[in-house]
Amino acid sequence: MTNLQEKITAIFPETSQIPEQFQIQPLHQREYLVGGEMRQWAGATQDVYSPIFVKNGDKFESILIGSYPITDEAEAMEALDAAMRAYDNGRGEWPTMSLIERITCMENFLKKMLEKKTEIVNLLMYEIGKSLADSIKEFDRTIEYIYDTIDCLKDIDRNSSRFKIEQGIIGQIRRSPLGVVLCMGPFNYPLNETFCTLIPAIIMGNTILFKPPKHGTLLHYPLLKAFQECFPKGVVNTIYGRGANVVPPLMQTGKINVLTLIGSSKVANDLKKMHPKLNRLRAVLGLDAKNAGIILKNADVELAVKECILGSLSFNGQRCTAIKIIWVHRSIAKKFLNRFTEELEKLKFGMPWESGVNLTPLPEPNKPTYLAECIADAKANGADVINEGGGTTINSFVYPAVLYPVNEKMKVYSEEQFGPIVPVVPFDDVEEPIQYIINSSHGQQVSIFGTNPDQIAHLIDPLVNQVSRVNINAQCQRGPDTFPFTGRKDSAEGTLSVEDALRAFSIRTVVATKDTDANKKIFNEIVEEHSSHFLSTKYVF
Ligand SMILES: NC(=O)C1=CN([C@@H]2O[C@H](COP(=O)(O)OP(=O)(O)OC[C@H]3O[C@@H](n4cnc5c(N)ncnc54)[C@H](OP(=O)(O)O)[C@@H]3O)[C@@H](O)[C@H]2O)C=CC1
Ligand SMILES: O=C(O)[C@H](O)COP(=O)(O)O
């Protein structure tokens, strides 16, 4: 066994070595929420094993951390009926409730969610292997997102003065819901990325079918009762079981008004095609990406290394916003790679609860095999693993591999590896990475590293027309959450941000009349009576 293998083997604890505050009691859940009713499931269940293995002598044993119902198609259909009843063609209690009352419900939910922080953070660590620090960050960021959503809602559309006011017409603009929203999120941010669509969809008056991701289902259970208690019956309905089994029948009914999925483009496109009335479906999608880092000849190499380490390896590269390929000018490639691998060696690997840990076990059981195939394929096509021990795999842990020189024949050149592999391509002319980005089927972000403002300025215009965010001397990232977050081509549909998401899950509607004295009197009274429905959209022109 090499030194690195020994070190990796040593990260897995014996059960008795897990610090007391991080020990976990399995959570065997049987409840699910439909139509405001907490139902008990007596059918098949899914055991959940953590990517954190424990050592038992020479053997590794996976930790069973709980189980949940595999509700089937019949339950999914009941959940759909419940959501449709609660919406009641827009006449239900929730879609007609005033914004002020909806905000109060959300504030109650927020309070209950805060009480569950420790439990949710612990489950995040165990279900997806995210470090304690990042799990706390994910929780806190989600809470902040909800606060910001409430604040933003009070302000949205305040500036409607750009509308031309027709002579003799008075009107009021409001934001109205869209109907039944099917909401699904990814395993890498199972709380935050799901809530960035779930929360705005709820608060805008829609009713919801919520299916959590398979790695990241248990951590939603502490909130099930809060959903039941804080919102009227049928506003939030939960569905468990594999997405591939329960979701297609729902789409085929044609009764889903909004599909919101943060995940892979293949799944999103397949699901959209199943909807019989595509023109009646709104899709709000955050999808895969193959973000490039471009390191120009004159770049500050130290800065580029620091940002590319963060960009490509935070949470083991399992971020949609990760830098998934690095283009480096050939003249500085050696220097960059030497420094990159030196810094990589300093990254701490271990269990998620360890302080300062960067690299942790991977939650997807098939991922180590896929990554090994990517590495083998790159080697067969002429690349080397240039860091010592790159790709070493001990059950659920994969040590990062830096591959160089990568070319277009390799999988890692175009596929989203979504894991700890760093493909590096040398270039002579900056036109090469630009052409790569133009030809890519993805279009989320790019990071340019350089010190010449003119040169960077010259690159921004073509690049910003290919991706949705250009970062200068900084890694790719989603936040701050007030920034529009989207992508071009296969990387997204619709835009998410605190404000954009409120728009994505609603439609602007108008109540108008002729500007006569009699009408004005009636209209003003209506506006007065309905003022709590509008908040900022209380305009009479
Ligand atoms: N642009 C963005 O904002 C973000 C994009 N992502 C992308 O998400 C991906 C990683 O997440 P991952 O969870 O693997 O994504 P998936 O697309 O596999 O899963 C996302 C959701 O879709 C469900 N699902 C999966 N397959 C099907 C199917 N055949 N029919 C119906 N539903 C299905 C999943 O349920 P189940 O788990 O039960 O299979 C899950 O809830 C990466 O590509 C990443 O880039 C991640 C975060 C942010
Ligand atoms: O799911 C993802 O990968 C996130 O959108 C990444 O978010 P971050 O850039 O804020 O880590």
Side-chain angles (χ1 to χ4, degrees):
M1 212 186 241
T2 66
N3 198 13
L4 182 66
Q5 283 169 325
E6 273 171 28
K7 279 192 188 160
I8 297 174
T9 308
I11 66 172
F12 293 97
E14 288 172 22
T15 308
S16 60
Q17 292 171 322
I18 300 178
E20 202 181 329
Q21 71 271 34
F22 300 123
Q23 284 176 11
I24 191 163
Q25 290 304 319
L27 178 62
H28 293 294
Q29 265 295 349
R30 296 295 174 267
E31 291 180 321
Y32 63 107
L33 183 62
V34 170
E37 206 182 287
M38 202 64 84
R39 298 192 179 176
Q40 286 291 329
W41 177 246
T45 56
Q46 175 68 53
D47 284 342
V48 181
Y49 288 94
S50 173
I52 298 166
F53 282 65
V54 283
K55 272 196 294 249
N56 184 358
D58 288 346
K59 290 197 190 120
F60 292 107
E61 286 173 0
S62 44
I63 310 181
L64 179 67
I65 54 171
S67 57
Y68 58 82
I70 311 186
T71 54
D72 51 28
E73 191 179 326
E75 274 66 36
M77 291 303 169
E78 282 193 33
L80 173 60
D81 282 348
M84 289 177 68
R85 269 199 312 280
Y87 193 70
D88 191 16
N89 289 313
R91 299 193 305 177
E93 180 185 358
W94 188 244
T96 56
M97 190 184 275
S98 75
L99 278 181
I100 286 174
E101 288 168 296
R102 275 193 235 141
I103 286 174
T104 304
C105 294
M106 191 57 84
E107 284 168 343
N108 289 338
F109 177 78
L110 190 59
K111 274 188 219 133
K112 289 182 192 282
M113 186 168 165
L114 279 165
E115 288 162 15
K116 301 289 182 187
K117 177 169 176 172
T118 310
E119 210 178 329
I120 293 173
V121 164
N122 214 27
L123 282 164
L124 253 170
M125 284 198 304
Y126 272 97
E127 275 194 279
I128 61 161
K130 188 170 270 192
S131 72
L132 175 62
D134 284 348
S135 296
I136 291 174
K137 220 188 272 172
E138 178 163 350
F139 184 91
D140 291 346
R141 179 178 184 177
T142 309
I143 293 291
E144 200 179 323
Y145 193 94
I146 303 176
Y147 276 121
D148 288 349
T149 296
I150 291 171
D151 266 5
C152 180
L153 190 54
K154 294 176 182 166
D155 238 15
I156 199 167
D157 297 330
R158 187 171 287 286
N159 182 11
S160 287
S161 56
R162 70 183 189 282
F163 289 106
K164 186 176 174 198
I165 301 163
E166 292 291 336
Q167 193 81 40
I169 300 286
I170 55 174
Q172 183 181 51
I173 298 164
R174 57 159 96 182
R175 273 202 175 266
S176 304
L178 299 167
V180 174
V181 176
L182 171 58
C183 175
M184 286 181 286
F187 80 84
N188 64 329
Y189 279 77
L191 179 71
N192 180 266
E193 280 283 14
T194 313
F195 273 43
C196 286
T197 55
L198 183 70
I199 296 297
I202 294 176
I203 209 164
M204 291 318 292
N206 302 284
T207 60
I208 313 291
L209 298 176
F210 167 39
K211 198 211 78 65
K214 58 180 173 290
H215 309 293
T217 290
L218 292 178
L219 63 93
H220 289 284
Y221 267 109
L223 298 174
L224 204 57
K225 236 182 151 33
F227 282 128
Q228 185 191 31
E229 288 168 358
C230 299
F231 303 108
K233 284 181 186 164
V235 171
V236 179
N237 306 277
T238 57
I239 298 174
Y240 302 104
R242 287 292 48 76
N245 301 333
V246 288
V247 175
L250 288 170
M251 292 303 291
Q252 283 153 6
T253 62
K255 292 175 180 168
I256 302 294
N257 302 102
V258 184
L259 167 69
T260 181
L261 181 136
I262 310 296
S264 52
S265 51
K266 160 116 188 44
V267 171
N269 289 331
D270 288 351
L271 288 178
K272 270 172 64 182
K273 280 187 216 139
M274 290 173 196
H275 198 286
K277 296 174 193 152
L278 206 47
N279 61 328
R280 302 247 185 117
L281 178 74
R282 180 177 287 193
V284 181
L285 310 170
L287 306 171
D288 31 54
K290 184 82 179 171
N291 297 334
I294 305 178
I295 303 169
L296 302 170
K297 195 175 177 177
N298 54 27
D300 173 341
V301 171
E302 285 307 307
L303 178 67
V305 166
K306 179 172 158 266
E307 292 294 317
C308 287
I309 287 274
L310 280 174
S312 55
L313 292 172
S314 299
F315 191 36
N316 313 293
Q318 300 166 123
R319 292 163 61 226
C320 65
T321 50
I323 293 180
K324 295 182 184 124
I325 190 159
I326 298 175
W327 288 77
V328 58
H329 193 272
R330 200 180 298 275
S331 64
I332 56 163
K334 201 164 165 210
K335 186 172 172 197
F336 172 80
L337 288 168
N338 285 343
R339 286 292 300 119
F340 189 91
T341 50
E342 276 170 15
E343 289 304 309
L344 194 162
E345 273 175 30
K346 294 181 193 162
L347 295 182
K348 181 171 170 186
F349 49 86
M351 288 294 112
W353 50 76
E354 287 174 36
S355 130
V357 80
N358 307 104
L359 304 166
T360 50
L362 308 179
E364 294 178 289
N366 299 333
K367 198 40 108 35
T369 308
Y370 168 75
L371 296 174
E373 281 165 14
C374 287
I375 294 171
D377 165 75
K379 280 164 120 177
N381 284 292
D384 289 321
V385 175
I386 60 153
N387 60 318
E388 204 174 328
T392 301
T393 300
I394 308 282
N395 70 62
S396 54
F397 185 88
V398 179
Y399 190 71
V402 183
L403 299 172
Y404 182 82
V406 160
N407 63 46
E408 70 286 354
K409 290 190 225 123
M410 305 169 189
K411 275 174 192 270
V412 289
Y413 184 83
S414 47
E415 273 180 32
E416 184 197 42
Q417 67 272 31
F418 216 66
I421 290 184
V422 186
V424 184
V425 194
F427 70 87
D428 298 298
D429 184 337
V430 73
E431 191 54 28
E432 295 168 50
I434 291 181
Q435 278 306 323
Y436 170 83
I437 290 165
I438 290 171
N439 294 331
S440 170
S441 54
H442 297 100
Q444 194 197 64
Q445 299 197 17
V446 61
S447 287
I448 311 173
F449 296 90
T451 48
N452 179 337
D454 283 349
Q455 189 186 13
I456 296 175
H458 192 69
L459 290 174
I460 288 176
D461 288 341
L463 286 176
V464 91
N465 292 341
Q466 292 299 325
V467 298
S468 60
R469 176 162 164 172
V470 177
N471 303 280
I472 299 163
N473 291 325
Q475 64 158 323
C476 302
Q477 62 183 47
R478 173 162 46 119
D481 290 325
T482 43
F483 274 20
F485 181 54
T486 182
R488 296 170 183 270
K489 302 186 236 179
D490 288 346
S491 288
E493 190 168 330
T495 304
L496 293 169
S497 76
V498 170
E499 181 170 347
D500 287 299
L502 291 171
R503 296 181 193 284
F505 293 102
S506 61
I507 181 174
R508 270 197 303 193
T509 50
V510 178
V511 179
T513 188
K514 293 255 172 77
D515 188 8
T516 62
D517 286 348
N519 278 345
K520 205 185 266 171
K521 189 162 175 292
I522 295 171
F523 196 76
N524 283 342
E525 276 179 31
I526 292 170
V527 168
E528 197 50 46
E529 197 174 308
H530 277 216
S531 63
S532 61
H533 283 267
F534 302 110
L535 291 176
S536 59
T537 53
K538 196 178 97 175
Y539 301 114
V540 181
F541 294 121

